[in-house]
Amino acid sequence: MSQDAFNFLFIGLSFAIYIGIAIRQRAGSTKEYYTAGGGVSPFANGMATAADWMSAATFISMAGLLATSGYDGSRLLMGWTGGFVLLTVLMVPFLRKFGKATVPDFIGDRYYSKAARLVAVVCAIFICLTYIMGQMRGVGVVFSALFDISISTGVWVGGGIVFFYAGLGGMKGITYTQVAQYCVMAFAYTIPAVFIAIALTGNVIPQLGFIGDYIANGESLPFLEKLDQINTELGFANYTSGSLETIDMFCITAALMCGTAGLPHVIVRFFTVKNVKAVRVSACWTLAFIAVIYLTAPTIGAFARVNFIEKLQDSPREEAPAWFGDFEKAGYMSWTDQNGDGKIQHFGPEREKRGDKNELTFKPDIMVMANPHMGALPKWVIALLMAGCIAAALSTAAGLLLVLSTAISHDLMKKIVKPDLSDQEEIKYARLASLGALLVAIYFGINPPATFIAKTVAFAFGLAASSFFPTLLMGIFSRRMNKEGAIAGMVAGIGFTLSYIIYFQFMGGTKDQYFLGISPEGIGFLGMLLNFLVSAIVAAFTPAPPPEVTELVDNVRYPGGPETAAQDH
Amino acid sequence: MKEKSKAAKGRYWKAQLRCVGVLLSVWFLVSFGCGILLRDWLDANFPSVGSAPFGFWMAQQGAIIVFVFLLIAYAIWMGRLEDKFEGEEDAV
């Protein structure tokens, strides 16, 4: 069977499953639409959350980034998983106990003001939209590579599928679809790693091969030593040392962690289980499922790095493997013969200083896709990987779309514009809103504002860290925090972070102007501290919140009260 | 459900804060501590994990494994606190 036939088979099969589930689990009421009726088992919810969490960016780019940056890439590994710990112990149980379905709901009630609710709605829409754009683009790229269609047609096809099951099925539909998608993703990610681990290290478990010995080509030495050797030889920084300043590394990791803890589409997932106890169990499952992928990512990155260099370095162009030509044609890799010897040479900054010219450039994103080709794995593994990529993009896009439609229909229409909305009308608005949001996402998926999207996604974490995170945290843990303090803190935090990013990103700020050596990626951490500080000072000089709000804060701290959150709206 | 006494609520909240405090200390130690701040010192002075230097391994694998155990500990710990709190109401 040809590669195309395998691809069609795997992807067609997975789609049939997703759509079948969506039709069976169609939502009937707003409660089912927003929170799947609150009766999903912790295990299933854990899997669905893990699928929601892992976007196409994580699935495709993370391993590639690890391959090219080694130790520095740990900031993503620790930042995203560590953020989940913060989210679970500091936020989710309390928000769940509070019992409303959305984050803007909490902020609006806790800070007793429509202005605060509106700010939160705008933040949620902004964060979700920037994410979903990247997802749609990812779907488009994979589809276009698969079926030989243009990227824009690919984006349209992907958008249609997402709308079909997120818009119609609501939370109930996507929860069970995401369970299926997690399974596809987990197998698609780990199976190639196992094959390559066996080839390079003789170990079936990639994580053990990673810290074991490299045994291919008759050599035998510790695998990581081999990697360091390769990197130093070619003039890159040591794989295990990294090149970021410690303070920058610290701040970026912290910004990612706190930003993660403020992601609305993940928080809302915990409203789908029965009670606070189930929330905690569900969170354990989620992180365990996420860990399966996150513990494999560094091994894929490291294996890909070794394979990539071993297969290409110093080999004549005509003898280079077939996949190199394919990726070159697709624009993911490029080679120019600088010294005219007809061989491929890849060099890092240290060697270039000594006059060697680098002839090979590639996009780190391609590492995961190229991995099975480099390891010469069977065709069905490649097909599985394709299905996994699409599952990753679709599951996150569907989750985001749902939060977007809720933010518009519930928080904006029902709570601010038109309070007398009926249940049926609200679902109608939610479906219309998801259609609208999807059209916007498709537009930007087809016409991405250049490199802007990738950057905004990274910065969205910083913005969430400096705005949502401290405001939610103080809303739960401080009884004294009032609306003046919260609003002043949010404005100060997000204003500071945004201007720092804009200055260095769009107004030509240079590296030596960095404040304390912190890059724009990590500035969200300082913005967050600023938010806390400003809130505390302003709150100290303004009147305390009204007694019913203090009561609300007291109430979320203790167990008991209504079991199923999310009452019918 | 009956209204809990103020003292019982106070004890419960303190116990909950202690739980979160302990877990987040471990959280900070394994990620920011081992993975970033103390990394070079750990690489030099701690036994390697397989062939990986200790600090590097913590940053790439160890921290994530500890995180999973932290959440399991949180679920068990908070479950017990809650049971104790529910039981207390009759004694008051």
Side-chain angles (χ1 to χ4, degrees), chain A residues 41-63:
Chain A
S41 85
F43 179 79
N45 190 58
M47 246 188 210
T49 314
D52 212 333
W53 180 270
M54 272 169 304
S55 61
T58 318
F59 193 87
I60 301 172
S61 322
M62 194 167 62

Side-chain angles (χ1 to χ4, degrees), chain A residues 71 94 211 240 257 280 295, chain B residues 16 27 35 39 51 61 82:
Chain A
Y71 167 77
F94 305 103
I211 56 172
T240 52
M257 284 192 181
R280 293 191 292 258
L295 289 176
Chain B
Q16 181 165 2
W27 166 83
R39 186 191 158 229
S51 64
Q61 308 252 290
E82 244 176 56

Side-chain angles (χ1 to χ4, degrees), chain A residues 66 70-71 74 78 81-82 93-94 207 211-212 222 224 240-241 250 253 257 277 280 284 295 298 557-559, chain B residues 1 9 12-13 16 27 32 35-36 39 49-52 57 59-61 67-68 71-72 74 78 82-83 85:
Chain A
L66 281 158
Y71 167 77
S74 311
M78 290 192 290
T81 51
F94 305 103
Q207 286 79 2
I211 56 172
L224 286 167
T240 52
S241 328
F250 185 96
T253 310
M257 284 192 181
K277 205 166 215 151
R280 293 191 292 258
C284 293
L295 289 176
R557 293 178 172 184
Y558 308 107
Chain B
M1 179 189 291
K9 280 184 168 178
Y12 175 80
W13 180 243
Q16 181 165 2
W27 166 83
F32 292 101
I36 299 176
R39 186 191 158 229
V49 183
S51 64
W57 186 82
Q60 299 238 314
Q61 308 252 290
F67 290 158
V68 176
L71 286 195
I72 295 173
Y74 178 70
M78 285 306 296
E82 244 176 56
D83 290 345
F85 179 70

Side-chain angles (χ1 to χ4, degrees), chain A residues 33 400-410 429-431 433-434:
Chain A
Y33 192 89
L400 288 167
L401 199 60
L402 206 75
V403 173
L404 269 172
S405 68
T406 320
I408 293 169
S409 72
H410 181 73
Y429 274 112
R431 290 198 170 124
S434 61

Side-chain angles (χ1 to χ4, degrees), chain A residues 512-525:
Chain A
D512 47 301
Q513 292 173 305
Y514 281 176
F515 179 63
L516 297 175
I518 300 169
S519 60
E521 232 186 310
I523 201 66
F525 177 63

